[in-house]
Amino acid sequence: MSIVNDPAEIAAATSQGTSLTIGNFDGVHQGHNHLLRTVMERAAQHGLTSLAVTFDPHPLRVIRGHTPPFITPIQQKLSLLKAQGLDYVLCLTFTQEMAQLSPEEFVERYLVRGLNCKHLVIGHDYTFGRGGSGDFQTLRQLGEKHGFTTERIQALTINGEVVSSTRIRELIQQGRVDEAKPLLGRHFQVEGTVIEGSRRGGPLIGVPTANLEVTDELVPLSGVYAVRAEHNGTVYPGVANVGPNPTFNQQALSVEVHLFNFSRNIYGELLRISFVSRLRGEIRFSGVEELKTQIHRDIEEGKRLLQEDNSGS
């Protein structure tokens, strides 16, 4: 399976025809996964190449200049799409010129001439083309003209929630990371490089921490979380503090992680943090001793929650 940026790179593979889907796929959540599985099933049934088409930058950043924070940065999104097992992921560069294409121009240029589409699978609310003027009915009509079929997948519901990037983003911003997990199909993650911090954790408090320089746009609500951290392919349990540090009058946002039974120097190295459950909000403590007492309570509670999460409860 490959990630490519130009239809010409996969011309030979698409000559037999493609089963494809197209979208932004922020979060690559369970709704997206259902759609991608359908694409692969149709490809297997009809002897087609399976393909997902996405964009970078996000179309709304080109058209409006802004978007809500992304659940998945572009490289994580592409990796998650690749992991689904499609033959190809095509990441097109979205431009102002592309934004001005009519629905018919977009379909003819990319889906028909570029990708030899024979079967198209779209989400229930998909729109495309200049001003979002193209929809499912547009695609059905264009498919009749150009020789492809279009299938629309209805919204997926899990635990009474419609799975959507918007809903997942809301849950994470509210600190409800455990509720976001079933919709995502995994724990929400951020990634960062370990940098020099204030050096209070180990020497002053007796709990060494790794301070992360996080590049992700979306982070959970400020507070303390039970987490797992992946470092060089090994996963370690721990607790993390997200947000400012009011006890020490620190206002800047930080992500600070304490890994259980871990004492290695990892400055300059990458950690990927999976948020399992929120333990509490930020608190301003009267002093170091009160803070130390609470941190040790957080560690014990974090261990308990992580053990429950491991057991599948």
CSV table of all heavy atoms in Angstrom, one decimal, residues 161-202:
chain,number,residue,atom,x,y,z
A,161,GLU,N,-24.4,7.9,19.9
A,161,GLU,CA,-23.8,9.1,19.4
A,161,GLU,C,-23.5,8.9,17.9
A,161,GLU,O,-23.0,7.8,17.4
A,161,GLU,CB,-22.4,9.3,20.0
A,161,GLU,CG,-22.5,9.7,21.5
A,161,GLU,CD,-22.4,11.1,21.7
A,161,GLU,OE1,-22.7,11.9,20.8
A,161,GLU,OE2,-21.9,11.5,22.8
A,162,VAL,N,-23.9,9.9,17.1
A,162,VAL,CA,-23.5,9.9,15.7
A,162,VAL,C,-22.0,10.2,15.6
A,162,VAL,O,-21.5,11.1,16.2
A,162,VAL,CB,-24.3,10.9,14.9
A,162,VAL,CG1,-23.7,11.0,13.4
A,162,VAL,CG2,-25.8,10.6,14.8
A,163,VAL,N,-21.3,9.3,14.9
A,163,VAL,CA,-19.8,9.4,14.9
A,163,VAL,C,-19.5,10.5,13.8
A,163,VAL,O,-19.8,10.4,12.7
A,163,VAL,CB,-19.2,8.1,14.4
A,163,VAL,CG1,-17.6,8.3,14.4
A,163,VAL,CG2,-19.5,7.0,15.4
A,164,SER,N,-18.8,11.6,14.3
A,164,SER,CA,-18.4,12.7,13.4
A,164,SER,C,-17.2,13.3,14.0
A,164,SER,O,-16.9,13.3,15.2
A,164,SER,CB,-19.5,13.7,13.3
A,164,SER,OG,-19.6,14.5,14.5
A,165,SER,N,-16.4,13.9,13.1
A,165,SER,CA,-15.2,14.6,13.6
A,165,SER,C,-15.5,15.8,14.6
A,165,SER,O,-14.9,16.0,15.5
A,165,SER,CB,-14.4,15.2,12.4
A,165,SER,OG,-14.0,14.1,11.5
A,166,THR,N,-16.7,16.4,14.3
A,166,THR,CA,-17.1,17.5,15.1
A,166,THR,C,-17.4,17.1,16.5
A,166,THR,O,-17.0,17.7,17.5
A,166,THR,CB,-18.3,18.2,14.5
A,166,THR,OG1,-18.0,18.7,13.2
A,166,THR,CG2,-18.9,19.3,15.4
A,167,ARG,N,-18.1,16.0,16.7
A,167,ARG,CA,-18.5,15.5,18.0
A,167,ARG,C,-17.2,15.0,18.7
A,167,ARG,O,-17.1,15.2,19.9
A,167,ARG,CB,-19.5,14.3,17.9
A,167,ARG,CG,-19.9,13.7,19.2
A,167,ARG,CD,-20.5,14.8,20.1
A,167,ARG,NE,-20.9,14.3,21.4
A,167,ARG,CZ,-21.0,15.0,22.5
A,167,ARG,NH1,-20.6,16.3,22.5
A,167,ARG,NH2,-21.4,14.4,23.6
A,168,ILE,N,-16.3,14.3,18.1
A,168,ILE,CA,-15.1,13.8,18.7
A,168,ILE,C,-14.3,15.0,19.2
A,168,ILE,O,-13.7,15.0,20.3
A,168,ILE,CB,-14.3,13.0,17.7
A,168,ILE,CG1,-15.0,11.6,17.5
A,168,ILE,CG2,-12.9,12.7,18.2
A,168,ILE,CD1,-14.5,10.9,16.3
A,169,ARG,N,-14.2,16.1,18.4
A,169,ARG,CA,-13.4,17.3,18.8
A,169,ARG,C,-14.0,17.9,20.0
A,169,ARG,O,-13.3,18.3,20.9
A,169,ARG,CB,-13.4,18.2,17.6
A,169,ARG,CG,-12.5,19.4,17.8
A,169,ARG,CD,-12.5,20.3,16.6
A,169,ARG,NE,-12.1,19.7,15.4
A,169,ARG,CZ,-12.8,19.3,14.4
A,169,ARG,NH1,-14.1,19.6,14.4
A,169,ARG,NH2,-12.3,18.7,13.3
A,170,GLU,N,-15.4,18.0,20.1
A,170,GLU,CA,-16.0,18.5,21.2
A,170,GLU,C,-15.7,17.7,22.5
A,170,GLU,O,-15.4,18.3,23.5
A,170,GLU,CB,-17.5,18.5,21.0
A,170,GLU,CG,-18.0,19.5,20.0
A,170,GLU,CD,-19.5,19.4,19.7
A,170,GLU,OE1,-20.1,18.3,20.2
A,170,GLU,OE2,-20.1,20.2,19.0
A,171,LEU,N,-15.8,16.4,22.4
A,171,LEU,CA,-15.5,15.6,23.6
A,171,LEU,C,-14.1,15.8,24.1
A,171,LEU,O,-13.8,15.9,25.3
A,171,LEU,CB,-15.7,14.1,23.2
A,171,LEU,CG,-17.2,13.7,23.0
A,171,LEU,CD1,-17.3,12.3,22.4
A,171,LEU,CD2,-18.0,13.8,24.3
A,172,ILE,N,-13.1,15.8,23.2
A,172,ILE,CA,-11.7,16.0,23.6
A,172,ILE,C,-11.5,17.4,24.2
A,172,ILE,O,-10.9,17.5,25.2
A,172,ILE,CB,-10.8,15.8,22.4
A,172,ILE,CG1,-10.8,14.4,21.9
A,172,ILE,CG2,-9.4,16.3,22.7
A,172,ILE,CD1,-10.3,14.1,20.6
A,173,GLN,N,-12.1,18.4,23.6
A,173,GLN,CA,-12.0,19.8,24.2
A,173,GLN,C,-12.7,19.9,25.6
A,173,GLN,O,-12.4,20.8,26.3
A,173,GLN,CB,-12.6,20.8,23.2
A,173,GLN,CG,-11.7,21.0,22.0
A,173,GLN,CD,-12.3,21.9,20.9
A,173,GLN,OE1,-13.5,21.9,20.7
A,173,GLN,NE2,-11.5,22.6,20.2
A,174,GLN,N,-13.6,19.0,25.8
A,174,GLN,CA,-14.3,19.0,27.1
A,174,GLN,C,-13.6,18.0,28.1
A,174,GLN,O,-14.0,17.9,29.3
A,174,GLN,CB,-15.7,18.5,27.0
A,174,GLN,CG,-16.6,19.5,26.2
A,174,GLN,CD,-17.9,18.9,25.8
A,174,GLN,OE1,-18.3,17.8,26.1
A,174,GLN,NE2,-18.7,19.7,25.0
A,175,GLY,N,-12.5,17.4,27.7
A,175,GLY,CA,-11.7,16.5,28.5
A,175,GLY,C,-12.3,15.1,28.6
A,175,GLY,O,-11.9,14.2,29.4
A,176,ARG,N,-13.4,14.8,27.8
A,176,ARG,CA,-14.1,13.5,27.9
A,176,ARG,C,-13.4,12.5,26.9
A,176,ARG,O,-14.0,12.0,26.0
A,176,ARG,CB,-15.5,13.7,27.6
A,176,ARG,CG,-16.2,14.6,28.7
A,176,ARG,CD,-17.5,15.3,28.2
A,176,ARG,NE,-18.5,14.4,27.8
A,176,ARG,CZ,-19.7,14.8,27.3
A,176,ARG,NH1,-19.9,16.1,27.1
A,176,ARG,NH2,-20.6,13.9,27.0
A,177,VAL,N,-12.1,12.3,27.1
A,177,VAL,CA,-11.3,11.5,26.2
A,177,VAL,C,-11.8,10.0,26.2
A,177,VAL,O,-11.7,9.3,25.2
A,177,VAL,CB,-9.8,11.6,26.5
A,177,VAL,CG1,-9.3,13.0,26.2
A,177,VAL,CG2,-9.5,11.2,28.0
A,178,ASP,N,-12.3,9.5,27.4
A,178,ASP,CA,-12.8,8.2,27.4
A,178,ASP,C,-14.0,8.0,26.6
A,178,ASP,O,-14.3,6.9,26.0
A,178,ASP,CB,-13.0,7.7,28.9
A,178,ASP,CG,-13.9,8.7,29.6
A,178,ASP,OD1,-14.0,9.9,29.2
A,178,ASP,OD2,-14.5,8.3,30.6
A,179,GLU,N,-14.9,9.0,26.5
A,179,GLU,CA,-16.1,8.9,25.6
A,179,GLU,C,-15.7,9.1,24.1
A,179,GLU,O,-16.5,8.6,23.3
A,179,GLU,CB,-17.0,10.0,26.0
A,179,GLU,CG,-17.6,9.9,27.5
A,179,GLU,CD,-18.5,11.0,27.9
A,179,GLU,OE1,-19.5,11.3,27.1
A,179,GLU,OE2,-18.3,11.6,28.9
A,180,ALA,N,-14.6,9.8,23.8
A,180,ALA,CA,-14.2,9.9,22.4
A,180,ALA,C,-13.6,8.6,21.9
A,180,ALA,O,-13.7,8.4,20.7
A,180,ALA,CB,-13.1,11.0,22.3
A,181,LYS,N,-13.1,7.8,22.8
A,181,LYS,CA,-12.4,6.5,22.3
A,181,LYS,C,-13.3,5.6,21.4
A,181,LYS,O,-12.9,5.2,20.4
A,181,LYS,CB,-11.9,5.7,23.5
A,181,LYS,CG,-11.1,4.5,23.0
A,181,LYS,CD,-10.8,3.5,24.2
A,181,LYS,CE,-10.3,2.2,23.6
A,181,LYS,NZ,-10.1,1.2,24.7
A,182,PRO,N,-14.5,5.3,21.8
A,182,PRO,CA,-15.3,4.4,21.0
A,182,PRO,C,-15.6,5.0,19.6
A,182,PRO,O,-15.7,4.3,18.6
A,182,PRO,CB,-16.6,4.2,21.8
A,182,PRO,CG,-16.3,4.6,23.2
A,182,PRO,CD,-15.2,5.6,23.1
A,183,LEU,N,-15.7,6.3,19.5
A,183,LEU,CA,-16.0,7.0,18.3
A,183,LEU,C,-14.8,7.0,17.4
A,183,LEU,O,-14.9,6.8,16.1
A,183,LEU,CB,-16.5,8.4,18.5
A,183,LEU,CG,-17.7,8.6,19.5
A,183,LEU,CD1,-18.2,10.0,19.4
A,183,LEU,CD2,-18.8,7.6,19.3
A,184,LEU,N,-13.6,7.2,18.0
A,184,LEU,CA,-12.4,7.2,17.2
A,184,LEU,C,-11.9,5.8,16.9
A,184,LEU,O,-11.3,5.5,15.9
A,184,LEU,CB,-11.2,7.8,18.1
A,184,LEU,CG,-11.0,9.3,18.0
A,184,LEU,CD1,-10.0,9.8,19.0
A,184,LEU,CD2,-10.6,9.7,16.6
A,185,GLY,N,-12.2,4.8,17.8
A,185,GLY,CA,-11.7,3.5,17.6
A,185,GLY,C,-10.3,3.3,18.2
A,185,GLY,O,-9.7,2.2,18.1
A,186,ARG,N,-9.9,4.3,19.0
A,186,ARG,CA,-8.6,4.2,19.6
A,186,ARG,C,-8.6,5.4,20.6
A,186,ARG,O,-9.4,6.3,20.5
A,186,ARG,CB,-7.4,4.4,18.6
A,186,ARG,CG,-7.5,5.7,17.9
A,186,ARG,CD,-6.5,5.9,16.8
A,186,ARG,NE,-6.5,7.2,16.2
A,186,ARG,CZ,-7.4,7.7,15.4
A,186,ARG,NH1,-8.4,6.9,15.0
A,186,ARG,NH2,-7.4,8.9,15.0
A,187,HIS,N,-7.6,5.4,21.5
A,187,HIS,CA,-7.4,6.6,22.4
A,187,HIS,C,-6.9,7.8,21.5
A,187,HIS,O,-6.1,7.6,20.6
A,187,HIS,CB,-6.4,6.3,23.5
A,187,HIS,CG,-6.9,5.3,24.5
A,187,HIS,ND1,-8.0,5.5,25.2
A,187,HIS,CD2,-6.4,4.0,24.8
A,187,HIS,CE1,-8.2,4.4,26.0
A,187,HIS,NE2,-7.3,3.5,25.8
A,188,PHE,N,-7.4,9.0,21.9
A,188,PHE,CA,-6.9,10.2,21.3
A,188,PHE,C,-5.4,10.4,21.6
A,188,PHE,O,-5.0,10.1,22.8
A,188,PHE,CB,-7.7,11.4,21.8
A,188,PHE,CG,-7.1,12.7,21.3
A,188,PHE,CD1,-7.1,13.1,20.0
A,188,PHE,CD2,-6.5,13.6,22.3
A,188,PHE,CE1,-6.6,14.3,19.6
A,188,PHE,CE2,-5.9,14.8,21.8
A,188,PHE,CZ,-6.0,15.1,20.5
A,189,GLN,N,-4.6,10.8,20.7
A,189,GLN,CA,-3.2,10.9,20.8
A,189,GLN,C,-2.6,12.3,20.4
A,189,GLN,O,-3.2,13.0,19.6
A,189,GLN,CB,-2.4,9.9,20.0
A,189,GLN,CG,-2.7,8.4,20.3
A,189,GLN,CD,-2.0,7.5,19.4
A,189,GLN,OE1,-1.7,7.8,18.2
A,189,GLN,NE2,-1.7,6.3,19.9
A,190,VAL,N,-1.6,12.7,21.1
A,190,VAL,CA,-0.7,13.8,20.7
A,190,VAL,C,0.7,13.3,20.7
A,190,VAL,O,1.1,12.4,21.3
A,190,VAL,CB,-0.9,15.1,21.5
A,190,VAL,CG1,-2.3,15.6,21.5
A,190,VAL,CG2,-0.4,14.9,22.9
A,191,GLU,N,1.5,14.0,19.9
A,191,GLU,CA,2.9,13.7,19.8
A,191,GLU,C,3.8,14.9,20.1
A,191,GLU,O,3.4,16.0,19.7
A,191,GLU,CB,3.2,13.1,18.4
A,191,GLU,CG,4.6,12.5,18.2
A,191,GLU,CD,4.8,11.9,16.9
A,191,GLU,OE1,4.5,10.7,16.8
A,191,GLU,OE2,5.2,12.6,15.9
A,192,GLY,N,4.9,14.7,20.7
A,192,GLY,CA,5.8,15.8,21.0
A,192,GLY,C,7.2,15.4,21.2
A,192,GLY,O,7.5,14.3,21.6
A,193,THR,N,8.1,16.4,21.1
A,193,THR,CA,9.5,16.2,21.5
A,193,THR,C,9.8,16.6,22.9
A,193,THR,O,9.2,17.6,23.4
A,193,THR,CB,10.4,17.1,20.6
A,193,THR,OG1,10.1,16.8,19.2
A,193,THR,CG2,11.9,16.9,20.8
A,194,VAL,N,10.5,15.8,23.6
A,194,VAL,CA,10.8,16.1,25.0
A,194,VAL,C,11.8,17.2,25.1
A,194,VAL,O,12.9,17.1,24.5
A,194,VAL,CB,11.4,14.8,25.7
A,194,VAL,CG1,11.7,15.1,27.2
A,194,VAL,CG2,10.4,13.6,25.6
A,195,ILE,N,11.5,18.2,25.8
A,195,ILE,CA,12.3,19.4,26.0
A,195,ILE,C,12.6,19.7,27.4
A,195,ILE,O,12.1,19.1,28.3
A,195,ILE,CB,11.6,20.7,25.3
A,195,ILE,CG1,10.2,20.9,26.1
A,195,ILE,CG2,11.4,20.5,23.9
A,195,ILE,CD1,9.6,22.2,25.7
A,196,GLU,N,13.6,20.6,27.6
A,196,GLU,CA,13.9,21.1,29.0
A,196,GLU,C,12.7,21.8,29.6
A,196,GLU,O,12.1,22.7,29.0
A,196,GLU,CB,15.1,22.0,28.9
A,196,GLU,CG,16.4,21.4,28.6
A,196,GLU,CD,17.1,20.8,29.8
A,196,GLU,OE1,16.6,20.9,30.9
A,196,GLU,OE2,18.2,20.2,29.6
A,197,GLY,N,12.4,21.4,30.8
A,197,GLY,CA,11.3,22.1,31.5
A,197,GLY,C,11.8,22.9,32.7
A,197,GLY,O,13.0,23.4,32.6
A,198,SER,N,11.0,23.1,33.7
A,198,SER,CA,11.4,23.9,34.8
A,198,SER,C,12.3,23.2,35.8
A,198,SER,O,12.8,23.7,36.8
A,198,SER,CB,10.2,24.4,35.6
A,198,SER,OG,9.4,23.3,36.0
A,199,ARG,N,12.4,21.8,35.6
A,199,ARG,CA,13.2,20.9,36.5
A,199,ARG,C,12.6,20.9,37.9
A,199,ARG,O,13.4,20.8,38.9
A,199,ARG,CB,14.7,21.3,36.5
A,199,ARG,CG,15.3,21.1,35.1
A,199,ARG,CD,16.8,21.3,35.2
A,199,ARG,NE,17.5,20.9,34.0
A,199,ARG,CZ,17.9,19.7,33.7
A,199,ARG,NH1,17.7,18.7,34.6
A,199,ARG,NH2,18.5,19.4,32.5
A,200,ARG,N,11.3,21.1,38.1
A,200,ARG,CA,10.7,21.1,39.4
A,200,ARG,C,10.3,19.6,39.7
A,200,ARG,O,10.3,19.2,40.9
A,200,ARG,CB,9.5,22.0,39.5
A,200,ARG,CG,9.9,23.5,39.6
A,200,ARG,CD,8.6,24.3,40.0
A,200,ARG,NE,7.7,24.3,38.9
A,200,ARG,CZ,7.5,25.3,38.0
A,200,ARG,NH1,8.3,26.4,38.1
A,200,ARG,NH2,6.6,25.2,37.1
A,201,GLY,N,9.9,18.9,38.7
A,201,GLY,CA,9.3,17.6,38.9
A,201,GLY,C,10.1,16.6,39.7
A,201,GLY,O,9.7,16.1,40.8
A,202,GLY,N,11.4,16.4,39.3
A,202,GLY,CA,12.2,15.4,40.0
A,202,GLY,C,12.8,16.0,41.3
A,202,GLY,O,12.6,15.5,42.4
